[in-house]
Amino acid sequence: MTHARSRRAAAEAATTGTAARRDSALAVSADGLPAWLEPVARAARTVKAQQLSRFLPPESGAGRQSAVLVLFGEGARGPELLLMERSGTLRAHAGQPSFPGGSLDPEDGDHTTTGPLRAALREAEEETGLDPSGVQLFGVLPRLYIPVSGFVVTPVLGWWHTPSPVGAVDPAETARVFTASVADLTDPENRATVVHPSGHGGPAFLVESALVWGFTAGVIDRIVHYAGWERPWDRTRQVPLDWRA
C-alpha cells in the first residue's frame, strides 16, 4: 500500500470511527429520567401519529424531511421546555415560536433511523448554542406533516440533564431563545384557541410574552394531554394571531 493510500485509509477509518462513536451517542434511552418526565416517555412509546395530529405525511413519500428537539429541562420554576422565536424575516413561519429544529442534511443520515436524532441536536446547537452533550434523547414521536411548508417533521424528545447557556446564535434566523415552564403551559389562564385566516383552529399558549401556536402548540398540547398533565381549560376562548395589536 502506498503512503497516499495509507493516509486515505487512516482518514477513512478515523471518519468511520467518529461516525460510530457519534451514532452510539445518539442512542435513545429513558434510563435515569427524573420521575416527573416518565409519563412523557411512556406516552412516546405508545402514541400513534393519528393521536397527535390530523396532518400526516403524504403516502407518496413527498415532503421535506426534518426534525425538532422537544427539550425538557428543570429550571427555577420546575419543569420547562426550550423554545425559540423565529426571525420575522424568514420565508417560512416567520416570527413564530417553535422548537429548535430544521431540515435533515445529507450528513445527518437516514431519516428512518438516526437521521432525525442527529438533525434535531445539530439544529438546536446551530440555532441556540445548546451543548448537545448535556442532552439525553429519551423518545421519538411519530412523523407529522406541516402542509403549508411541506415539512415532514420528526419530534425528538430530550432531557436537558446538564443545562448550557443558550441564546440566538444567528439573528437572521432566531429572534430569541426562551424557556416556558410546564406550570405556565398547563395553567388554564394561559390556554386558548387560535383561529388561522384559513379558518382552521388549534390550541395556543400565551407564555413568556409569546403566542405559541401552530405545529409547536399542537405537539405541546398532545404531550401535556397524554402525559396526564392537562388541566381543564376554556376551549371557546379565542385569541387572534395579531393578538399584540
Side-chain angles (χ1 to χ4, degrees):
M1 180 182 292
T2 66
H3 289 299
R5 288 181 181 177
S6 178
R7 285 195 298 271
R8 283 200 300 271
E12 289 172 1
T15 300
T16 301
T18 299
R21 290 191 297 273
R22 187 173 56 187
D23 282 345
S24 66
L26 290 173
V28 176
S29 172
D31 294 343
L33 291 179
W36 61 265
L37 200 45
E38 290 176 359
V40 180
R42 285 196 299 269
R45 289 193 290 267
T46 59
V47 71
K48 307 298 183 184
Q50 296 86 345
Q51 295 174 292
L52 297 175
S53 174
R54 66 189 182 93
F55 298 114
L56 305 181
E59 294 182 1
S60 65
R64 190 172 180 183
Q65 298 295 330
S66 61
V68 295
L69 182 63
V70 184
L71 185 60
F72 291 89
E74 194 156 7
R77 298 186 55 222
E80 59 187 16
L81 266 176
L82 180 68
L83 298 171
M84 50 176 271
E85 189 171 308
R86 296 169 62 82
S87 170
T89 60
L90 293 175
R91 288 189 298 175
H93 310 293
Q96 192 171 341
S98 68
F99 301 117
S103 299
L104 268 68
D105 288 345
E107 57 268 28
D108 291 325
D110 190 345
H111 73 272
T112 64
T113 56
T114 58
L117 309 182
R118 187 174 294 108
L121 289 173
R122 174 182 55 74
E123 287 282 348
E125 181 177 14
E126 291 175 359
E127 293 175 331
T128 74
L130 171 81
D131 181 357
S133 67
V135 176
Q136 174 185 342
L137 303 181
F138 69 88
V140 180
L141 297 180
R143 291 185 300 157
L144 304 175
Y145 188 57
I146 304 180
V148 66
S149 57
F151 282 105
V152 176
V153 187
T154 300
V156 178
L157 307 180
W159 158 233
W160 205 3
H161 58 77
T162 308
S164 53
V166 292
V169 174
D170 183 357
E173 291 191 359
T174 308
R176 66 173 175 138
V177 177
F178 62 98
T179 57
S181 72
V182 171
D184 284 345
L185 290 167
T186 56
D187 185 341
E189 292 298 316
N190 296 331
R191 303 213 54 183
T193 296
V194 68
V195 180
H196 192 271
S198 66
H200 172 67
F205 300 83
L206 293 98
V207 291
E208 298 298 325
S209 302
L211 175 65
V212 183
W213 63 283
F215 175 85
T216 302
V219 172
I220 295 173
D221 172 75
R222 293 296 81 195
I223 288 176
V224 166
H225 174 77
Y226 288 111
W229 296 344
E230 187 174 32
R231 298 165 59 188
W233 57 282
D234 184 3
R235 297 174 184 272
T236 66
R237 179 192 180 196
Q238 294 188 356
V239 176
L241 287 180
D242 58 347
W243 65 291
R244 283 196 180 97

